[in-house]
Amino acid sequence: MDKVSSKDGTSIAYDTFGSGPGLILIAGAFTDRSYYVPLATALSPDFTVVTYDRRGRGDSTDVAPYAVEREIEDLQALREATGAVYASADSSGVMVLFRAVAAGVPFDKLAVMEPPFRVDGAPPAPDRYLERLQEFIATGNPGGAAELFMVEAVGQPQEMVDGFKGTPLWTALEAMAPTLVYDALQMGDSSLPTDLLRKISTETLAIHSTGSPAWMQSAVATTAAALPNAHLAALDGQFHQVSQDVLVEAFKDFFRSGS
């Protein structure tokens, strides 16, 4: 594990795998860098893969107050420390990447996986989602925030979430729960950020899983259509996740093409 200091003094923890051109992986909500170990290992023969804990997660620190610009600065610091030329982001982490690139953080190519923009056909967002997250955190109830995200935002069964409570996994999720507010702020109202996307000329691979619901696939297609230089890819997978072997081949084909 290495660390880099962001502009506001936050310490961002990261790992590197393999050799070759640098590829930073940016996680979505409720995920730390350990999530990417299998993918980073599989990509390591072709890339120097960088995985990191977004601020407030895992081994990274945090400095209040939070603003979406702080995660742009985090990614800039990480890119400068590692020399990475490519970046890929999942789910709400896509907004971190899009905001950073639009603000001038340079990458040669991008890949994005299922940003949860609420296009036509999407289920409604939970009522007062951001405000309720903030209330849970402010009153010292991170478990309430975790449950709100998992049940109402993601749609996991209540009985499954109840089964996590009291386990080491639940303790780890409660520790990350304050950062759910950060992802909610990154996503805003979750509508397609058309004006932001028009500013991103970097060649982008926009990916959705064939196992994801139609509205999520449509969100990716709409994202690709709004970007000036994007390619849409439907890859074999499950709900909100592409099979690793398929994703590795897609990354190799895309990032190495034209190089």
Side-chain angles (χ1 to χ4, degrees), residues 63-88:
V63 174
Y66 179 82
V68 295
E69 292 79 12
R70 300 294 80 77
E71 295 208 63
I72 295 174
E73 295 162 358
D74 298 347
L75 186 55
Q76 172 71 8
L78 193 64
R79 194 206 65 79
E80 291 176 354
T82 63
V85 293
Y86 306 133
S88 174

Side-chain angles (χ1 to χ4, degrees), residues 157-236:
Q158 181 69 56
E159 56 270 22
M160 184 179 77
V161 174
D162 288 343
F164 292 149
K165 295 176 181 177
T167 68
L169 173 61
W170 189 251
T171 300
L173 292 175
E174 286 185 314
M176 275 195 291
T179 67
L180 292 171
V181 173
Y182 301 174
D183 282 273
L185 290 168
Q186 287 286 345
M187 290 301 301
D189 66 2
S190 293
S191 62
L192 189 78
T194 305
D195 290 343
L196 179 71
L197 298 181
R198 287 173 178 161
K199 299 176 183 178
I200 300 170
S201 59
T202 309
E203 187 176 8
T204 302
L205 183 66
I207 299 167
H208 71 73
S209 168
T210 56
S212 288
W215 75 267
M216 198 170 283
Q217 297 187 35
S218 178
V220 178
T222 308
T223 298
L227 288 164
N229 188 13
H231 314 276
L232 179 63
L235 303 182
D236 289 340

